[in-house]
Amino acid sequence: MSEALVVKTMEEFVAQGKQPEILFWVGSAGSYDDRAKKISRAFVKILNKASVDFAVLGSEESCTGDVAKRAGNEFLFQMQAMMNIEVLNGYEIKRIVTCDPHSFNTLKNEYPSLGGKYDVVHHTQYIKELLDSGRLSLEGQVYKEKRITFHDPCYLGRANAVYDAPREILKKTNADIVEMKRHKKTALCCGAGGAQMFKEPEKGDMDINVLRTKDALETNPNIIATGCPYCNTMMTDGIKAHEKEASIAVLDVAELIANSI
Amino acid sequence: MEYLPNILFGVILFAGVGYFVRNVQKLQRNIKLGNDVDVNDNKAQRWKNMLKIALGQTKMVVRPIAGLMHIIVYVGFVIINIEVLEIIIDGLLGTHRIFAPLGIVYDFLIGSFEVLALLVIIAVVVFWLRRNVIRLQRFVKPEMEGWPKKDGNLILYIELVLMFLFLTMNAADFQLQQLGAAHYEQAGAFPVSQFLLPIFDGMSISTVILIERIAWWAHIIGILFFLNYLYYSKHLHILLAFPNTYYGKLGPLGKFSNVEAVTNEVKLMLDPTADPFAAPADDAAEPGKFGASDVMDLNWVQLLNAYTCTECGRCTSECPANQTGKKLSPRKIMMDTRDRLEEVGKNIDANQGKFVPDGKQLLDDYITKEELWACTTCNACVQACPVSIDPLSIIVEMRRYLVMEQSAAPTELNNMMSNIENNGAPWPYNQMDRLNWVNE
């Protein structure tokens, strides 16, 4: 990537005696996974464009523990949670945005009873805020007349009933938004949740991501949009399994917006 | 001798209701084997959920055909029970159609019962066809083989028989009213059973009375039988759906419980002033078990869930693991939990009220690790359940046992977890490199 991004850490904010508008929780995937890193960069491009005064924790951020919790390791989860809460509370963080629905869910729902109470939003919700308030406007017509289908991440959709924000901002790209037969409440999982991302699936007759990609292909899309780095990986692999990687792209909502500004 | 039928009726009613009450007490005792859980919050929301989901059937109609048929059977069941009230009063007092003086209201009531009875018969036939002829996928999954399949059909047969008895009873009554038989005053409207009248052509009054009496007695005995059949079948949902939707999960589906015992230990571990070598206080409780390997380790709402499940399979048909041929079936998780709980209950009955370890448990003997590890925690099953059952919470509780008590996670997951412990990410990357993406 050539464009220089402006990313400041909380440490730097404190050194200047300032508080950011919002903390961007990058998450482990967004920090280390090659594909997800591009999503982080796209989102920061949006934040920079809208002149959002945001911070990241950098090396002070650690795994939320979500995946350990879903795997049954409550100890590890709570260790991670309490360490993160200590950092977040130390910096008096009020508001958090993240591109990862799993981090979003656990920060929003499972941290409060452990002492971490923050206003947590998913990046699609935050982008919608920026667009609604006029801080961000889309100029490009890159996706005009393209067919985009949105795959609902379980931990954004069913788990937290956020269905509209990603769709509303996608519409602003002037793309043609097409729904899969199973969407919103009845959307099929991509297969990565519940720690499946980190293990081989159990014996069966098909992989879940291949089945879900089939749902998406039935809408005859140009682009499959997601709002989760894990869904992105699964759908990308699914497209390859269906040998459609040449004609169909899997992109995060943040990338579609970043390309339209 | 004159009061013999009344006495006989009273005895049958008492026995039927009494045996049911006894089983309900057993049910309560079994459910209370579960751990305590705080569900006293948000009463207004809970009542609303019960009214909407159980009484209002809002989640049933997500699938329109089954939903509509189910509403017919449900409304029929509730409304026709007004008739049962009359039957009970008649039976005890030796009266006949004691509500008849209601006149036109009575005509309307009996008439609408008849229409509902006909609709119930149609719905039951449709249900039977779906299970046995169309063989909808969710009704022929492996866990439905044997008793569950038989149970499902038996319930339909009983309902069919009850409806036919009700209509026969009415038809015979109507015929007797036409014939001017003593005690059979003109009462009620019979929009459906009037078509059964040709059956009685040429029969004497006494024969028709015999048929009317047989149908009347068989109908009420059938209802009492059905009431008692509930406990032994999957059909308890007609009662338990109400408490179950009341106690069902509130708030976002993605919010999993935080284990309090773990919180206390983690706090201690992170407390710099805590003495790691301190002996536990004398009055300290035995450290509890983490997670669940048997039904007693679950909470009582989860056990109520298990008894409430009517094996409709909507959860399983929405489950991504099940759809792709994995062994996991959320319905089976609920059925296994209930079956094991029943086994534990019988053990307690046989051992003077105390559970004697039987060398079995829910884990492995009923639910395998393979099933537990196939779950993506996507909440599709929870979303799909028409009566607010949460199979996912049981799966997670059992994973907790596997990981925290047995360190029995799949190897790849152990690697992932040790990465988190060592470098704060599920992958083996240096925490100092967390911000590298900015400049890549």
Side-chain angles (χ1 to χ4, degrees), chain A residues 86-125:
Chain A
E86 209 168 284
V87 174
L88 291 166
N89 288 356
Y91 283 129
E92 294 176 20
I93 300 295
K94 302 276 180 301
R95 200 152 193 243
I96 301 175
V97 61
T98 176
C99 301
D100 172 12
H102 297 264
S103 298
F104 166 68
N105 176 69
T106 196
L107 288 168
K108 174 174 162 286
N109 297 320
E110 291 159 355
Y111 274 39
S113 76
L114 299 173
K117 298 183 176 72
Y118 322 103
D119 172 18
V120 188
V121 291
H122 186 244
H123 70 310
T124 56
Q125 294 173 305

Side-chain angles (χ1 to χ4, degrees), chain A residues 149-159 162-163 167 179-191 208 211-213 215-216 225 231 235, chain B residues 62 253 315 317-321 323 376-384:
Chain A
T149 190
F150 179 70
H151 161 75
D152 289 280
C154 301
Y155 276 86
L156 185 65
R158 252 191 313 273
V162 179
Y163 299 112
R167 289 176 168 80
E179 293 290 1
M180 292 181 231
K181 219 186 247 168
R182 315 188 244 196
H183 63 281
K184 295 189 178 172
K185 277 183 185 174
T186 55
L188 185 76
C189 174
C190 71
I208 295 172
L211 181 61
R212 183 50 172 167
T213 312
D215 283 359
C231 292
M235 299 303 278
Chain B
V62 172
L253 293 185
C315 51
S317 75
E318 296 284 335
C319 174
Q323 283 175 31
T376 68
T377 71
C378 76
N379 262 308
C381 55
V382 184
Q383 179 72 50

Side-chain angles (χ1 to χ4, degrees), chain A:
Chain A
M1 281 253 196
S2 49
E3 270 173 279
L5 300 174
V6 186
V7 180
K8 289 201 292 182
T9 61
M10 262 322 289
E11 216 179 342
E12 294 170 70
F13 268 92
V14 170
Q16 294 170 1
K18 288 201 294 188
Q19 267 290 340
E21 281 180 63
I22 196 158
L23 178 84
F24 172 28
W25 185 274
V26 186
S28 298
S31 305
Y32 298 118
D33 179 86
D34 283 337
R35 179 67 188 86
K37 280 192 267 190
K38 290 184 184 159
I39 301 170
S40 302
R41 292 183 57 90
F43 183 54
V44 167
K45 188 181 157 193
I46 295 168
L47 295 175
N48 283 168
K49 175 83 179 179
S51 311
V52 176
D53 204 19
F54 74 97
V56 296
L57 286 176
S59 57
E60 288 184 281
E61 185 185 294
S62 188
C63 174
T64 56
D66 160 79
V67 65
K69 187 178 179 78
R70 313 293 138 181
N73 197 337
E74 187 70 8
F75 261 108
L76 185 52
F77 162 69
Q78 293 203 13
M79 286 289 284
Q80 290 298 118
M82 288 198 204
M83 288 192 297
N84 283 323
I85 288 168
E86 209 168 284
V87 174
L88 291 166
N89 288 356
Y91 283 129
E92 294 176 20
I93 300 295
K94 302 276 180 301
R95 200 152 193 243
I96 301 175
V97 61
T98 176
C99 301
D100 172 12
H102 297 264
S103 298
F104 166 68
N105 176 69
T106 196
L107 288 168
K108 174 174 162 286
N109 297 320
E110 291 159 355
Y111 274 39
S113 76
L114 299 173
K117 298 183 176 72
Y118 322 103
D119 172 18
V120 188
V121 291
H122 186 244
H123 70 310
T124 56
Q125 294 173 305
Y126 195 66
I127 293 171
K128 184 178 177 307
E129 258 178 51
L130 296 176
L131 288 167
D132 288 350
S133 64
R135 289 179 72 178
L136 183 73
S137 53
L138 304 189
E139 287 156 11
Q141 299 281 318
V142 204
Y143 299 112
K144 196 170 177 178
E145 280 159 24
K146 293 270 188 222
R147 285 171 72 84
I148 300 182
T149 190
F150 179 70
H151 161 75
D152 289 280
C154 301
Y155 276 86
L156 185 65
R158 252 191 313 273
N160 288 292
V162 179
Y163 299 112
D164 297 334
R167 289 176 168 80
E168 280 170 33
I169 58 176
L170 279 176
K171 273 187 199 134
K172 302 220 163 140
T173 64
N174 287 320
D176 190 5
I177 311 300
V178 284
E179 293 290 1
M180 292 181 231
K181 219 186 247 168
R182 315 188 244 196
H183 63 281
K184 295 189 178 172
K185 277 183 185 174
T186 55
L188 185 76
C189 174
C190 71
Q196 299 296 341
M197 182 74 191
F198 299 92
K199 61 185 263 298
E200 285 302 311
E202 274 59 34
K203 218 169 97 300
D205 45 39
M206 196 186 206
D207 281 340
I208 295 172
N209 63 329
V210 177
L211 181 61
R212 183 50 172 167
T213 312
K214 198 167 150 254
D215 283 359
L217 292 180
E218 279 167 9
T219 68
N220 201 14
N222 302 109
I223 294 161
I224 298 172
T226 66
C228 170
Y230 302 105
C231 292
N232 193 306
T233 304
M234 296 310 261
M235 299 303 278
T236 305
D237 288 350
I239 289 292
K240 284 178 195 154
H242 287 281
E243 295 176 348
K244 293 277 184 205
E245 68 266 39
S247 55
I248 299 173
V250 179
L251 292 168
D252 192 275
V253 175
E255 293 175 303
L256 292 163
I257 299 298
N259 291 339
S260 305
I261 51 181

Side-chain angles (χ1 to χ4, degrees), chain B residues 140-159:
Chain B
V140 293
K141 293 271 173 187
E143 69 267 21
M144 295 306 285
E145 276 165 29
W147 169 247
K149 181 180 181 214
K150 238 184 254 168
D151 185 24
N153 281 332
L154 255 172
I155 289 161
L156 295 177
Y157 299 146
I158 296 172
E159 283 170 353

Side-chain angles (χ1 to χ4, degrees), chain B residues 204-222:
Chain B
S204 68
I205 287 187
S206 56
T207 312
V208 181
I209 289 182
L210 187 67
I211 293 174
E212 193 273 335
R213 284 292 87 191
I214 289 175
W216 188 91
W217 279 95
H219 180 64
I220 187 67
I221 291 172

